[in-house]
Amino acid sequence: MTMTTPELTKDAVEEILCRVPATNLKRLRCTCKQWNRLFKDDERFAREHCDKAAKEVLALMLTEKYRICPTSVNLNGDVPSVEVKSGLSLPDPHFNNSCQFDIAGVFHCDGLLLCTHEGTPRYGSQIVVWNPFTGQTRWIESGNRCKEGKRFVLGYYYQDKNKSCSKSYKVLCLSPFGNDTEIYELNSDSWRTIPDGEITPGYYISDSGHMVSLKGNTYWFAREIAKPHLGISLLGFDFQTEKSSSFCLPLPYQGPLYEILSLSVVREEKLSVFIQPDYTSKTEIWVTSKIDNTTTKGAVSWTKVLSLDLNPDLQITDQVKFLLDEEKKIVLCCERWMVMEDETKSFDKIFILGEDNKVIEVSFGVGITEGCWPAILNYVPSLARIELAGGKRKRGD
């Protein structure tokens, strides 16, 4: 007697595939044309995959060569190691895609990268929202905003309380001091001005260079305008209300005005802060409890993960970018060292810091001081679809 295996229904196959991690789906594209179309063009499947699939967290580097590079981090074994790989491809439409777009700044949100340049005439006035996993891009006209040195961040909100519906993405543009604020809505393809004081009511942004996205909201350091002596707090910006008053968490340590601070995301669940008071060798890494879209100040707490006593020669600056492996208690710091004998040269380095105060140094680039500042960030591959101008959607919406 011949035994046959019953064929799975189309719905059953899709239910299985939407639980497969994103990087594995990429390898399945060539299996059949139907699956390839499903992964690339079906927005409904993309939303279900975002809700159901296991999240993978990868490391990316922005190098001195204006490229985004996947970074392999091996924390197993006796000697942790880091390898910066070749850059991802982002063709520049200004040159008929024959050249690569030079990325001077990058911001990660929901598997999408918001990439900016330095406002040079070569690139006109466009910035780009890019999904490096699917290759989809959305080029945005930014006027003179890049030339003015403004900061761009990306966020989203759900259009109703049902999380299976589409996300609406916005770009927030603000000056280094948090004023002159504008918002760009991808679904309407338009910029609009937000009056000063409405973005952070009662607070001012203390350092717009350290901003991160978690579950659609953007977080930054801020001080209360009426009580600046109370120190720095962590403020969350809600892209639905376009205000940040609903989340304000004082930092675990309040020191002088000019301590070294940096902010990072831990496995898309928590926030971590890097604190080095008084520019000393004393360093502390603190982590919040889990944060979601309903979190308020009273529901979040801080836990110290690492307390380090580093060699002052390590030259950690207030430009430091870092990633934390909370389980292994290891921090990756990305820094630029200037060459004192030749101010036109610099060395970009990654430092692996552990609770034993040992430091492993990895050099990954030799650049010039005018090159873009290196950065390291977590990236979560996803099938997130970028809204087209006018709110148009891909098939399957």
Side-chain angles (χ1 to χ4, degrees):
M1 182 175 65
T2 303
M3 299 291 293
T4 60
T5 302
E7 291 187 7
L8 294 175
T9 64
K10 177 177 178 291
D11 289 344
V13 171
E14 290 188 10
E15 180 65 23
I16 294 172
L17 291 175
C18 74
R19 298 175 187 274
V20 176
T23 52
N24 292 333
L25 284 185
K26 193 168 187 177
R27 291 192 287 268
L28 294 175
R29 282 182 180 176
C30 61
T31 302
C32 66
K33 293 181 179 180
Q34 182 180 355
W35 284 12
N36 186 50
R37 287 194 299 269
L38 183 70
F39 303 156
K40 289 181 60 178
D41 301 327
D42 196 315
E43 179 126 5
R44 176 193 54 79
F45 178 82
R47 293 196 301 267
E48 291 187 5
H49 184 269
C50 181
D51 291 338
K52 298 177 181 179
K55 299 294 186 295
E56 303 167 278
V57 181
L58 309 177
L60 295 181
M61 288 290 308
L62 172 60
T63 71
E64 84 287 350
K65 296 180 180 179
Y66 300 96
R67 295 291 179 265
I68 297 292
C69 299
T71 304
S72 175
V73 182
N74 182 8
L75 299 180
N76 300 317
D78 296 331
V79 181
S81 62
V82 177
E83 178 187 0
V84 181
K85 302 181 180 180
S86 57
L88 300 174
S89 176
L90 178 57
D92 187 343
H94 300 89
F95 297 90
N96 297 320
N97 296 328
S98 61
C99 298
Q100 294 294 300
F101 183 77
D102 284 350
I103 302 170
V106 61
F107 187 86
H108 171 248
C109 172
D110 194 38
L112 305 178
L113 300 180
L114 176 60
C115 302
T116 58
H117 57 83
E118 294 182 322
T120 57
R122 170 185 174 186
Y123 295 112
S125 55
Q126 286 189 315
I127 59 176
V128 60
V129 178
W130 174 36
N131 186 332
F133 182 73
T134 65
Q136 187 188 13
T137 57
R138 168 73 180 274
W139 295 88
I140 300 170
E141 180 64 43
S142 68
N144 290 323
R145 297 171 181 88
C146 286
K147 295 179 182 179
E148 294 169 354
K150 292 192 174 181
R151 174 82 175 180
F152 298 86
V153 297
L154 178 67
Y156 68 83
Y157 69 94
Y158 292 98
Q159 294 177 346
D160 62 34
K161 293 182 180 180
N162 178 8
K163 289 192 177 183
S164 65
C165 96
S166 299
K167 298 171 183 174
S168 181
Y169 293 95
K170 298 179 181 181
V171 175
L172 180 66
C173 171
L174 66 169
S175 76
F177 299 101
N179 56 359
D180 298 328
T181 305
E182 296 174 277
I183 281 185
Y184 173 88
E185 299 190 57
L186 272 70
N187 60 1
S188 64
D189 191 25
S190 62
W191 289 96
R192 53 186 169 83
T193 301
I194 305 296
D196 288 349
E198 289 195 9
I199 291 290
T200 57
Y203 289 82
Y204 69 88
I205 299 173
S206 63
D207 188 347
S208 64
H210 293 289
M211 297 180 173
V212 297
S213 175
L214 178 61
K215 298 182 186 309
N217 296 334
T218 294
Y219 295 86
W220 49 48
F221 298 126
R223 286 182 182 270
E224 192 171 356
I225 295 174
K227 302 176 182 178
H229 59 281
L230 294 181
I232 298 176
S233 296
L234 186 63
L235 215 58
F237 178 77
D238 187 324
F239 275 85
Q240 184 165 22
T241 64
E242 298 183 354
K243 292 184 178 180
S244 57
S245 56
S246 62
F247 181 97
C248 178
L249 181 66
L251 292 187
Y253 169 83
Q254 295 297 340
L257 179 61
Y258 299 106
E259 69 233 359
I260 293 175
L261 295 171
S262 187
L263 190 60
S264 184
V265 177
V266 182
R267 299 201 63 81
E268 296 298 296
E269 295 179 340
K270 308 175 184 180
L271 297 173
S272 178
V273 64
F274 182 108
I275 302 177
Q276 194 179 72
D278 297 324
Y279 291 97
T280 67
S281 60
K282 303 292 185 182
T283 300
E284 295 178 354
I285 310 295
W286 293 74
V287 174
T288 66
S289 52
K290 288 185 179 181
I291 296 177
D292 59 33
N293 290 326
T294 62
T295 296
T296 59
K297 174 182 175 181
V300 180
S301 60
W302 290 103
T303 300
K304 186 193 294 185
V305 176
L306 277 171
S307 182
L308 307 172
D309 188 2
L310 303 176
N311 187 329
D313 294 335
L314 192 58
Q315 297 182 15
I316 296 294
T317 72
D318 56 6
Q319 297 291 325
V320 66
K321 306 296 183 183
F322 78 102
L323 298 180
L324 170 68
D325 188 308
E326 187 178 9
E327 181 180 348
K328 297 181 182 297
K329 293 189 176 182
I330 290 178
V331 178
L332 270 68
C333 292
C334 177
E335 272 284 12
R336 168 165 289 174
W337 279 20
M338 313 308 295
V339 178
M340 301 303 295
E341 296 79 11
D342 185 349
E343 295 182 355
T344 66
K345 294 183 179 180
S346 61
F347 294 92
D348 293 338
K349 297 176 179 290
I350 295 176
F351 300 102
I352 305 174
L353 314 177
E355 57 184 338
D356 55 3
N357 288 318
K358 290 184 178 179
V359 179
I360 297 175
E361 177 184 321
V362 179
S363 296
F364 65 91
V366 178
I368 58 175
T369 55
E370 290 80 9
C372 72
W373 202 271
I376 188 168
L377 64 149
N378 279 325
Y379 173 69
V380 180
S382 80
L383 300 179
R385 304 296 302 169
I386 305 171
E387 295 162 323
L388 302 177
K392 295 179 182 179
R393 295 281 180 175
K394 290 287 188 181
R395 181 178 60 83
D397 192 26

